Amino acid sequence: MASRLQSILCVRYGNGPSEDADVSGTPNRRPPGSQMARETAGIEANPVRDILAALLDKASQPRHASGNACIKLCYFVEQCRNSKEPRLRDLAFSEKACIDLFNFYIEWNERNQHRSMRQVLELLTSLVSLNSDRESTDSITKAILQRVLSIIIHQSAQPLAKPAFKSLECFLGKGTISTAALIGCYEGHIASIQSDSDTSSEKDSLWDSFMAEVFSWLTLPDVSPAAGKLLVTLFVKLGGEAGRSLSLVANHTVLWQRWIRAGLSRHPETLENIKNYLFPPLFKLDRSGSILFLGDLNSQGSISGLQIEESNAQSLLQLAAIEVGKKLGLMEETSTFVRQRDSKKKPIVLDESAIGELLTHTLDTVRSLAFSVLVSSSSSIRPFSKLALNLLQTYMSILYADTDAKFRNEILSNTRHMIERLRGALAYMTRELENTRFLLDMDESSGSAAQVRSREVFNEINNSLKLHERFVQWYLEFLFGELIPTASYQRHITALKAFTLLIRSGILGHNSSSTVPKVHENATTWPFTIKLFTSGNMRLLLDLLMDPFEDVRISAGVVLKSASWDDFKLDAVVDTLTAPNHLQCHADLSRQEISIRTSSISTQSLNLSSLSSTNHVTPSPQALLDFIDRAQDAASRTGRADYGDGFARSWEILYCLCTSSDGRLKLLEDLIGQLERKVDIAEEDLARAVVEAPLHGSFAALNFIWDAVDYSNSLAGSSNQQLGITRWDSLHSRMVECCKRSWNVVRGILCNDSPEGHLPSDIDEIDSVGTKDILSYSFRATHESSNLMRNLIGKLKLKWNNGSPVLSVQVFSDIGHLTFEQLSNLRHRGAFSTVSLTFTRCCQLTQFLTPNLEPDQKLLEQWYQGALQCISEQASTTRRSAGIPALITGILSSNAQKPGFENVMDDLMGMARTPVKLSRADETNLPQVHSMNCLKEIFRSSLLGKRADNDIAECLQIAADSLNSEVWAIRNCGLLLLRSLIDALFGTNESKVAIDAGWDGRSVKLSYDKYPALPALLIKLLDADTSLVQSMLAPKISSVESMFPALDIVRRAGPPTTHRKEIFRSVSQHLGSKVWHVREIAARTMCTMLLHSDWLSEVIKLMESSAGSTNRLHGVLMAVKFVLDRRLALHFESAIDGLDQLASFLESPKMWTYFKSGCPEILAAYLEVSNSIARILIFSRKSRNISTQLKIGSIMDQLFFRDTYEEFLGLIKTYPTITVSIRGTECSVNTALACNAILHRSVFSSALREDTLCLQNVIAFATTLDIDVVLAAVEVIPDTWGNHTSVGTLLGLIKTYMGAIEATKSPEVRATAIFNLAEVVDRMLGRIDLKNFKSNQNSQLARELHHTSLDLNEMVQNEIQGLGTLLQNGMKTPSLSNAEIRISGSLLNLFNRAFDTFQSRMEAWGKLLGVAGASTNDVGTRHAAAAALASFYSNPCLESYMLNDECVLPSMFSLYDTLNDDDDEIRNMSAQTVSALLQKSLIPLAARLELAEYVSKIHARAPSFAWNMVYRMTGSKLETVDNIGFRLKPIGGQLQKAMREDDSLFVEEEQNLFVDEVREAKLWSKIFKDTALNTHNGERVDFDVENTWSQPHTALATWVIDGLLTGCSLLNKDDGPLGWTSKPAVFSLLTRLLLCANATIQRHERLATSATGRSVAGNRTIGGIIFALNQFVSFSKEKKIHESLLLIVRGKSLLPLVALRRVVPDSSS
């Protein structure tokens, strides 16, 4: 019977296809159940189970071996399920079969990803659903849930999360498992793994916990889609069961918010996955719930009572949900006109005002989302609301100037959406306006309701259209304003990329350059075109071609390529009295052109008439030609790379402007002729060439131009094409010859073993030419010439119209041989990095040479043989073998059959294995060094690394063996090869923190299946015997290094599951090594192998096995410490589990026998274990679980004495030093580790006991020990005591730090104690956390301060009043000085009760911090100043009368200056300070605006404020805040200094690259104008304007008129692009001057026309300013001064000059 069944089933499901299957083995038809019942009637079930097991086993094989076994398995089980035979049905529905199927799906779905695995899951769902045995069903679902939950809550170390989420989602979605069953099983599962925990929680809290577990998986990219789908199913299911299964909240959308907010609070990085995998499907499946959810989010601001992290998460939740809701059409902005408001759809209306507040939020993700919400829409033609456009205008400058590149890219991505929407909205409104006008014209019934309605629609559309047009105009002006010379790199690059987006949108129209990409024909078009390239804008863009940053130069070049020939004509500057309007509308809307006055055009040596294909005479692009001349002069004069690059890009633009093929060819011939003349100079006199004729600019120009050459049209219009081809061939040959000649000139420098300090013998080192100049000239010439050759050979595949190749084979061969020669001899790292790219390209292109050319077929083989010769013969004078590895990788990149990849690898590994004997004569001739470096480079190559995967194990063996070599060069190369191999295994994207932390026990960092030989190699390396190593001084110490690669791989990736026991045993053996470093690495590796649920038993076994071996006990204790620390880092909630058992074992008499053995290292290791336990206990004290608190108390009683100080004295006196015998000599061993561990234990123990008196005594005793010991103890106090907020504890900490300061004279200890003391004092005064700008008013400390603030203040004063006296004694160091600055803010808060002394202290303190925060100081001093300001101004108890007093102005301005600091951390800290002061979340750029406005409002009456403004407007340094002695720095000397030419090779970088002098001048000029003008608004009648402002105003007016006269006298030479006003220093000075002039005139005008009737002094001065200003403008037009300067005079916010003349009185007055 059994044999009959097996034969039947084997035919159908086992060996080969049956009659019911197609050729692939897929069943075509299913036999009826009766047939199978007849075939299996009377058959026992055991053989059927055997067949089922066989099918499961076959389906579990890898995909290539299993074939269609999975389909056959499903088919078999389905037939059993549908059979009429009860035993077969029982088999299908049996618990074992279902569990086996589920385990099969879970364990193999992740690895093989069978397409039919979903069929297994569907089958399993049906089996559970159709099973009539409820008891069996409950048992199956319980087993499934337990398995799934064990994976989800991180109990399983296998990568099974994705199939677990998929299966659970499927069961829940189909109703197979209910949410009640899920949460019930979860509750039981949690109770089983935490048996002593209190599990009587409400179901809401259980759901909170479960959702938190699921959200934690959203951080993994591969798991997040499945986890998101499960969340969607749960949200929908629980939404329907809200009234029944949830007891706390009936509105399920509130629960959605709570769960998502909690997930974002803990894992902010999951935001993108939530946006992609949670919100879209949720909003589509549950639209009604989503409407409630979005409406609730839209109506609420920040929820009160949330912590800072939760508040940030709430903002992220709101914005992300609203963004997705807008894109799906569930939300929209306020309708802009009636027709939209009458829409039948009633989505939620977005509250845009609330979104605007988030555009300055401290989190960059929130700001990016807020911007996205403003510009996104479900329709690309929906107009913006007026509020949205106003918000964009207000905050665009802040968003575009952000220092984070990722954030700027996100902003630019949304800018593209904004531009597309603007284009669509304008086109839509223009069309609607025309349609509405047509309807109005057709409707003859005047005054009818329809006509009134149409008229209303017409007006609304027209107003919205004008609003959008004004915004486009503003946006263009804003972008060009971001391109001024003083703007930062961030503003430059963002504005240029935005310009590129605008140009690609088609805004230039049909008259734009041919290089502009065409808009898709189905896209909307702009209803107008823009004259983008005016003369002023061209000046800005041309200047940026010489920018120091390469991507700015590239972006500027891209924009300029969109300009036409006429845009480069030499025009006069814009008439500054004419308002600009660049929009040329095709609709019936008025537009104006900027009036331009042409000037005479000078001729150039270049024949420009040939550059245009038109027959008539075309005006030359004189502006570009003038720029090229100036750029060439600057590049030749300085030799700078950025100048040479800008010069080259200007030639590329000129080439692109040419429309004549003959003209382009002549341009190239002229450029190559210039290059040849420069090479001639270099061959004759290298020193002269360095000074007068650098080569890199000309090489770069040819390189850029060759990128733009279109060979298909190069001969268009030529009467003799063969002559044209000959001319092109000649150009190719001439360029290659120039490359050869330049290489011969510089090879002596770049091929020297020390090129950095080499000076050719025929060159004398003079002031103008040094080694730095020679090396720069040589490197850049080689670099750019190699780029040019790489570009040339890239044309190898191209052909002329007659079929001949564009690039001759001879030219290609010459380039290949030249690059081979360069690579084999170069010693300059930068040079051979560039040349290697060219050689690699040459090797790849050899595969495309014409087959019938026999000599060229052997090029690759010649180069390979030459490379082998270099490996064998060249001396290994460099660590990385210079260019030899690049030769090998270049040859291999060709993917040629000969030499083949495998053959080359065999050759290299064979040479690397060759043993080396130590010999002084041959120490520099080591082929092994070159071969290992070549292997290293192969594995580092992204192109070749994957092909070498099969050789990783063998190369690991080579690297490990080389670590044992006696030759240093071999060991060094072995380490380099090892590093590249490990990078090949793990990749290079992992952060250093993650690398140091090691494997987390659950993620997949290395697939051992991919490297089948790797596990065996790891075991072989780990089995190395280190017992022969006697001491660290032994010469054989290198023998232990061979195991380090294996230990590092296992530590980072975890052990392979197939060899876990063997590796565990090997690593365990090394815990007893005699070498400390080996024990430590083995302990860290063992840590990764103990990250599982049974870790405690493994640890106890290890400790029990260490009896009798001190080294092994030490290694095991280190491993235990690492395990405890890692568990705390990964799962701090469950880190306390098992610690009570571990503590009992550690305190057992058997273990104490070893700990008290007298070895200080053992004691130190034991104490560090107890310290790790104490750290876990401190973290666990936050838990409210009663059983957890009881467990903490039990562990404390077991491990720590009740009298901590007594224990400390006993330990520290027993183990001060220990005397041992080393080689017969008595020596004293340093026990610093034991002392540190003892002190740390005492600090932890006192923190657990909350015994500050003990802490004081411990630290006081520690000050008598070594400085490093006490320093380590003081540094650990904040980590252990940071969560204590009671008044008594904080006072105790103050006494502790004061005691340490008093007891020691060490400046390092004092500095650390003072820094910590400042933090404690801040917390004492109500600031719970320095990083949070909102204090916790509900804390016990705040309540105690409220009741006893005066007494407490006096107590703290008494404790620290002697601090100043103590610090006067002892040595001063920079760190101690910084600490004193840091605590000054805390002390000022403490001693501010007496207002009479407070004023003088506050003023002096503000001056001190102004000096400390100067950009010339180091970052530590500036950071201390910012922290001191944060201590004072973030204090919630700060009284308003203090802020209103004039004495705070110096510190207020110091705080403002820190917002412009060059360091991000300092700026962000000060932004948080301003946020706390003004009670709004701000980033630095927004905080500076808000703070300036705040200060101007409350201190407008203060004379020192007026003087400060004047000094900041003029760029002077304010040395004093007194009213006497003010002197503004004359502008003449500053201008003369700024105009000096700097011809140095490398420009000295500014100390502060963040601050923009022009931006600062604009801000303070505006404040000066607004503050002065508002003094006569009727609300400040008691404010004596003249007494307060007359002196600063007079001084400013005098400074302005002197500056204008000086500026006019300096206008004696032409400016233009790249002229003297393009210098940032000159531009900022002139901008300051003009802004001050405008502000002075405007204030004078306002006072003269005010209603107060006061007499106005200084009319003659103002008249002189206006006269000088007119002169300056007139001269500027003649000399082509920067138009951005003249637009300041003409600015819309300022009075025009015509109106200002009315203020000037007659001469008779």
Side-chain angles (χ1 to χ4, degrees), residues 762-837:
D762 56 340
I763 297 178
D764 296 328
E765 187 166 7
I766 56 178
D767 293 338
S768 58
V769 179
T771 56
K772 179 177 62 175
D773 304 284
I774 294 290
L775 182 63
S776 175
Y777 173 91
S778 304
F779 159 67
R780 287 169 179 163
T782 304
H783 173 79
E784 295 298 343
S785 64
S786 185
N787 287 336
L788 173 59
M789 289 190 291
R790 185 166 65 254
N791 205 337
L792 274 177
I793 60 176
K795 315 297 182 181
L796 182 66
K797 303 178 187 179
L798 302 179
K799 296 183 181 298
W800 297 110
N801 294 333
N802 60 5
S804 60
V806 168
L807 190 72
S808 67
V809 176
Q810 183 61 45
V811 171
F812 173 79
S813 178
D814 291 344
I815 293 175
H817 289 309
L818 177 58
T819 52
F820 181 90
E821 179 187 354
Q822 290 174 335
L823 266 186
S824 59
N825 292 281
L826 277 169
R827 293 297 181 269
H828 188 279
R829 188 180 180 89
F832 69 67
S833 296
T834 306
V835 175
S836 65
L837 298 176

Side-chain angles (χ1 to χ4, degrees), residues 96-330:
K96 185 179 186 306
C98 292
I99 298 302
D100 287 346
L101 278 174
F102 179 73
N103 290 333
F104 163 69
Y105 173 82
I106 287 290
E107 294 172 3
W108 291 96
N109 180 66
E110 178 70 14
R111 184 178 303 178
N112 286 311
Q113 294 291 327
H114 282 293
R115 182 174 297 177
S116 56
M117 292 304 290
R118 181 71 184 182
Q119 185 179 354
V120 176
L121 192 57
E122 298 284 351
L123 174 62
L124 185 59
T125 305
S126 68
L127 291 175
V128 177
S129 301
L130 299 176
N131 195 343
S132 59
D133 187 351
R134 290 296 91 191
E135 184 178 350
S136 175
T137 300
D138 293 341
S139 179
I140 293 171
T141 55
K142 183 178 180 181
I144 289 174
L145 283 174
Q146 287 179 344
R147 180 74 192 277
V148 169
L149 291 174
S150 68
I151 297 171
I152 292 177
I153 63 176
H154 308 285
Q155 280 190 292
S156 176
Q158 294 175 311
L160 308 177
K162 189 190 297 184
F165 281 122
K166 287 182 177 179
S167 60
L168 184 56
E169 186 275 329
C170 182
F171 289 133
L172 287 170
K174 293 183 177 297
T176 307
I177 296 177
S178 66
T179 56
L182 171 63
I183 200 62
C185 188
Y186 176 73
E187 182 178 9
H189 198 80
I190 294 298
S192 65
I193 62 177
Q194 298 179 359
S195 56
D196 55 348
S197 299
D198 182 13
T199 59
S200 59
S201 303
E202 294 289 341
K203 284 191 175 181
D204 287 325
S205 62
L206 286 172
W207 278 116
D208 291 345
S209 176
F210 179 74
M211 292 297 181
E213 295 284 358
V214 178
F215 268 101
S216 67
W217 287 99
L218 284 175
T219 57
L220 303 179
D222 56 333
V223 182
S224 55
K229 193 173 183 181
L230 173 62
L231 286 172
V232 171
T233 303
L234 282 172
F235 282 12
V236 174
K237 289 288 183 181
L238 291 174
E241 303 172 4
R244 300 188 302 273
S245 60
L246 297 179
S247 60
L248 199 62
V249 181
N251 185 358
H252 60 283
T253 62
V254 176
L255 289 172
W256 295 2
Q257 294 183 46
R258 189 171 76 197
W259 292 331
I260 300 173
R261 182 172 61 244
L264 285 171
S265 179
R266 296 183 60 183
H267 307 286
E269 66 275 14
T270 61
L271 177 66
E272 285 300 318
N273 291 331
I274 289 175
K275 288 169 55 180
N276 295 330
Y277 306 121
L278 176 58
F279 285 147
L282 178 63
F283 292 172
K284 292 176 182 177
L285 287 176
D286 189 358
R287 183 178 178 87
S288 60
S290 301
I291 293 291
L292 290 174
F293 176 68
L294 292 171
D296 192 20
L297 289 175
N298 187 48
S299 63
Q300 66 186 354
S302 59
I303 299 178
S304 59
L306 296 179
Q307 300 296 327
I308 293 299
E309 292 81 4
E310 292 181 334
S311 177
N312 293 338
Q314 177 69 16
S315 299
L316 292 175
L317 166 60
Q318 286 178 297
L319 292 170
I322 291 172
E323 180 188 25
V324 177
K326 283 189 68 177
K327 291 179 179 178
L328 295 178
L330 300 178

Side-chain angles (χ1 to χ4, degrees), residues 1299-1315:
I1301 295 169
E1302 183 177 2
T1304 182
K1305 293 294 191 294
S1306 168
E1308 291 81 6
V1309 175
R1310 283 186 164 188
T1312 304
I1314 291 173
F1315 276 116

Side-chain angles (χ1 to χ4, degrees), residues 980-1201:
S980 66
L981 290 170
I982 291 179
D983 287 343
L985 289 173
F986 294 100
T988 57
N989 296 327
E990 204 170 13
S991 65
K992 186 178 184 303
V993 175
I995 292 174
D996 293 341
W999 189 45
D1000 59 4
R1002 59 188 178 94
S1003 61
V1004 181
K1005 294 189 176 181
L1006 175 62
S1007 176
Y1008 286 101
D1009 293 338
K1010 188 177 179 181
Y1011 309 100
L1014 186 57
L1017 175 63
L1018 294 177
I1019 294 175
K1020 179 181 177 182
L1021 294 176
L1022 290 173
D1023 285 341
D1025 187 10
T1026 62
S1027 60
L1028 300 177
V1029 181
Q1030 299 298 323
S1031 70
M1032 294 299 292
L1033 301 177
K1036 292 291 185 180
I1037 190 61
S1038 61
S1039 63
V1040 305
E1041 295 181 351
S1042 61
M1043 74 183 66
F1044 288 164
L1047 289 173
D1048 192 48
I1049 291 173
V1050 176
R1051 183 187 65 81
R1052 291 181 59 182
T1057 55
T1058 56
H1059 297 72
R1060 187 185 184 281
K1061 292 183 179 179
E1062 295 91 333
I1063 291 178
F1064 186 91
R1065 185 196 68 249
S1066 300
V1067 176
S1068 174
Q1069 291 177 354
H1070 292 302
L1071 291 175
S1073 173
K1074 296 181 180 180
V1075 181
W1076 184 309
H1077 188 52
V1078 174
R1079 294 199 301 272
E1080 182 178 1
I1081 300 298
R1084 294 185 182 277
T1085 306
M1086 182 61 70
C1087 167
T1088 64
M1089 304 179 71
L1090 294 174
L1091 297 177
H1092 52 77
S1093 58
D1094 198 28
W1095 67 275
L1096 183 60
S1097 60
E1098 298 275 8
V1099 165
I1100 292 177
K1101 289 178 183 178
L1102 285 174
M1103 297 185 71
E1104 288 177 340
S1105 66
S1106 60
S1109 173
T1110 303
N1111 287 329
R1112 180 169 178 78
L1113 179 59
H1114 181 252
V1116 170
L1117 287 173
M1118 284 196 295
V1120 174
K1121 175 190 174 347
F1122 295 145
V1123 169
L1124 294 176
D1125 293 342
R1126 189 68 172 141
R1127 282 174 56 80
L1128 178 61
L1130 292 175
H1131 312 293
F1132 66 87
E1133 302 95 337
S1134 60
I1136 196 174
D1137 295 341
L1139 290 190
D1140 50 349
Q1141 302 175 47
L1142 179 61
S1144 299
F1145 182 78
L1146 290 174
E1147 292 299 309
S1148 63
K1150 179 181 178 181
M1151 298 307 299
W1152 262 106
T1153 303
Y1154 303 130
F1155 299 151
K1156 294 182 178 181
S1157 61
C1159 178
E1161 286 77 11
I1162 294 296
L1163 176 68
Y1166 163 74
L1167 293 178
E1168 288 298 341
V1169 171
S1170 67
N1171 293 338
S1172 296
I1173 294 175
R1175 187 178 288 107
I1176 294 175
L1177 296 182
I1178 290 174
F1179 272 90
S1180 301
R1181 296 183 80 164
K1182 303 175 184 178
S1183 173
R1184 298 179 181 178
N1185 195 305
I1186 298 176
S1187 61
T1188 300
Q1189 298 301 324
L1190 293 175
K1191 184 185 293 186
I1192 292 174
S1194 173
I1195 297 172
M1196 287 172 56
D1197 293 337
Q1198 292 183 69
L1199 280 183
F1200 302 99
F1201 283 27

